[in-house]
Amino acid sequence: MKVYCDLHIHTCLSPCADDDVTPWNAVGMCKIKGLDVIAITDHNSALNVRDAMAAGNEYGVAVIAGMEITSKEEAHILAYFEQLNDALAASDDVYAHLADVKNNPQLFGNQLIMQNGDEFAGVVDKLLITSTDLSVDEVCELIARHHGIAVPAHINRGGNGMIGALGLMPFLPEYPVVEIVKHLPCPDYAIKGRFLLQSSDAHRLEDIQEQVFALEVDEPTAKGVFDALKAKMNV
Ligand SMILES: [Zn+2]
Ligand SMILES: [Zn+2]
């Protein structure tokens, strides 16, 4: 069966996202947009995933636990996990590898942690949009260690896409699944033979995508999408 997805959504935990993209607002907007399965992927942290999952249960939207990790080359890599606990453990691991730079909310924006139904539960100290000290390979190892799957984010967009960050997209069998930005040019060699995800990378509620990208899955759940992606990794 077919499910509509947006597998790259930020919440108010990401300093560059609007403060009103709380987990419940984000998931509520996904419901309005007609999405079946989404992933919450804040920069270098998964601390708002639990509350987004609670919202998902309430609204009938399946939520994949995710994160967008920055490598030391400044490549953005999406991590998807089947279990919340794996995502939270990976989040702790990534946090320890982030530069020791304190967030300046006036400059970069707030990093709001929400719990128990959009209740403010604190802020993250370290700036989440710096790089980790991990290479892209090490980021992928970290994700695998926590039983997740790694998908290079927006490979054809600027210095944070893998093509820009590394100067060249690694060849298959590396990264069989990648996210591309539809409206930007992308060299053929980088996408040939790969499965392409199209997501919004929304940092504002209104940017969450509509029913423009669907995946074929066995069951319309977070596990169904996770398993479908995992199957595409084995090429
Ligand atoms: Zn990104
Ligand atoms: Zn992003």
Side-chain angles (χ1 to χ4, degrees):
M1 65 187 301
K2 198 169 83 167
V3 285
Y4 287 106
C5 302
D6 186 347
L7 302 180
H8 188 162
I9 297 173
H10 293 267
T11 73
C12 53
L13 179 59
S14 296
C16 37
D18 286 354
D19 287 349
D20 67 357
V21 195
T22 61
W24 282 69
N25 283 350
V27 177
M29 182 59 88
C30 292
K31 180 70 183 175
I32 291 168
K33 300 262 185 170
L35 300 173
D36 304 303
V37 184
I38 64 158
I40 295 297
T41 53
D42 281 304
H43 290 292
N44 297 304
S45 179
L47 287 179
N48 274 353
V49 171
R50 187 192 297 275
D51 213 23
M53 283 178 156
N57 282 336
E58 185 73 22
Y59 293 136
V61 176
V63 177
I64 295 178
M67 200 173 1
E68 182 176 24
I69 305 173
T70 313
S71 77
K72 68 178 177 192
E73 303 90 345
E74 308 232 321
H76 287 185
I77 300 171
L78 294 163
Y80 299 124
F81 302 90
E82 194 180 332
Q83 303 291 339
L84 173 64
N85 284 345
D86 285 330
L88 293 175
S91 181
D92 283 349
D93 213 346
V94 166
Y95 195 73
H97 284 281
L98 269 182
D100 216 355
V101 176
K102 212 172 144 53
N103 182 31
N104 178 342
Q106 272 78 43
L107 216 54
F108 301 109
N110 292 314
Q111 301 184 150
L112 310 177
I113 304 170
M114 310 300 276
Q115 284 171 7
N116 304 320
D118 265 359
E119 226 172 68
F120 173 69
V123 297
V124 174
D125 282 336
K126 279 192 199 174
L127 179 61
L128 290 172
I129 45 167
T130 57
S131 306
T132 63
D133 59 4
L134 303 167
S135 68
V136 288
D137 288 342
E138 288 166 335
V139 168
C140 293
E141 280 161 26
L142 182 153
I143 294 167
R145 200 158 63 237
H146 295 286
H147 317 110
I149 51 184
V151 174
H154 44 67
I155 61 166
N156 56 329
R157 198 182 75 204
N160 296 131
M162 197 169 262
I163 298 171
L166 302 184
L168 188 77
M169 188 66 203
F171 295 100
L172 284 169
E174 285 195 81
Y175 311 113
V177 180
V178 299
E179 181 194 89
I180 60 154
V181 182
K182 261 278 164 61
H183 64 271
L184 293 177
C186 189
D188 279 346
Y189 83 88
I191 51 177
K192 194 161 177 268
R194 289 189 157 112
F195 187 77
L196 309 179
L197 297 183
Q198 189 193 339
S199 302
S200 70
D201 193 6
H203 288 68
R204 304 183 305 168
L205 285 170
E206 58 266 40
D207 291 340
I208 290 170
Q209 76 187 7
E210 309 207 343
Q211 294 181 331
V212 295
F213 177 80
L215 272 175
E216 198 60 43
V217 296
D218 291 336
E219 49 174 84
T221 60
K223 185 182 183 331
V225 167
F226 185 86
D227 287 348
L229 292 180
K230 218 171 161 180
K232 296 189 188 302
M233 298 282 173
N234 301 318
V235 291

